[in-house]
Amino acid sequence: HRRLRTRTLDVRRTKMPMNDTFRWIVVVFLATHIPATIMMDSQALVPAKFVPKFARSLLEFHVNANHDPLMEFQPVWFKSLIAFELLFQLPFFFVGCHAFYHKQNWIRVPGIVYGTHTATTLIPILAEILHSGDVPNAAARAQLFFIYLPYLVIPAMMALILCAEEKPFGTEGDKPAKRAKAKRK
């Protein structure tokens, strides 16, 4: 008889470094989240008179085209998530873009906090989408679910990768970001 070996996964020895493809996905994700938060999500809290007409029209289009009950009815629990998005996540988008672009290891802990918080907030959001009586049919439900899903997947992957690697960008990530040199006359 051949003895079967069982393999165990040693998390301490398993490395999931931040590869360039995922790093660029994170940079683009964070950069595109800035205008989305300012122009769309903030409308759950900002009075309409302070929101530009084009942004109100964009939100109206989204609600009508995607049957989004959260942005249409804006329940209190959803507004509380938006408040935290504006106070915590929006500043992180700028800082995170810079740090991931320049491969800075110091972003590890803030990235873990952002990723876990954001992924966690998406659970009730996705549950509401899946069970809301305000979404007209299964096709509309699936469409809306997949619009929101990247906001769970990318932050969760970010948190997992950053948790698994003490220096997500290796020793290169310990160097200060390169600054553009002033033009000499």
Side-chain angles (χ1 to χ4, degrees), residues 18 23 99-100 103-105 107 165 167-173:
M18 179 74 65
R23 181 176 68 87
F100 281 95
K103 299 181 180 180
Q104 299 292 290
N105 284 329
I107 197 64
E165 191 64 43
K167 294 187 178 213
F169 304 111
T171 55
E172 178 185 349

Side-chain angles (χ1 to χ4, degrees), residues 9-24:
L9 178 64
D10 185 353
V11 176
R12 292 169 299 176
R13 291 181 19 187
T14 303
K15 302 279 183 177
M16 290 176 53
M18 179 74 65
N19 68 43
D20 271 346
T21 302
F22 188 69
R23 181 176 68 87
W24 279 108

Side-chain angles (χ1 to χ4, degrees), residues 99-121:
F100 281 95
Y101 180 83
H102 291 288
K103 299 181 180 180
Q104 299 292 290
N105 284 329
W106 59 260
I107 197 64
R108 180 176 181 259
V109 172
I112 292 168
V113 172
Y114 163 78
T116 53
H117 167 74
T118 302
T120 303
T121 64

Side-chain angles (χ1 to χ4, degrees), residues 22-95:
F22 188 69
R23 181 176 68 87
W24 279 108
I25 289 171
V26 170
V27 170
V28 170
F29 175 82
L30 294 173
T32 58
H33 213 125
I34 293 167
T37 297
I38 293 169
M39 291 190 307
M40 300 282 286
D41 297 350
S42 68
Q43 291 187 56
L45 299 174
V46 176
K49 66 182 180 182
F50 297 115
V51 178
K53 187 175 188 314
F54 79 91
R56 289 193 313 264
S57 297
L58 188 60
L59 179 60
E60 184 180 347
F61 171 79
H62 164 73
V63 168
N64 292 332
N66 299 306
H67 309 283
D68 188 339
L70 295 171
M71 290 306 292
E72 181 177 6
F73 302 116
Q74 303 169 352
V76 172
W77 66 267
F78 183 69
K79 286 182 177 185
S80 71
L81 298 179
I82 298 296
F84 201 80
E85 180 180 358
L86 292 170
L87 295 172
F88 168 70
Q89 293 180 22
L90 184 59
F92 178 82
F93 299 150
F94 291 95
V95 171

Side-chain angles (χ1 to χ4, degrees), residues 68-70 77-78 81 118-133 135 140-156:
D68 188 339
L70 295 171
W77 66 267
F78 183 69
L81 298 179
T118 302
T120 303
T121 64
L122 263 291
I123 302 301
I125 290 170
L126 292 173
E128 181 67 26
I129 290 167
L130 291 175
H131 300 286
S132 174
V135 180
R141 190 176 312 284
Q143 178 178 322
L144 188 58
F145 181 85
F146 285 110
I147 288 170
Y148 276 92
L149 188 61
Y151 298 98
L152 166 69
V153 173
I154 294 171

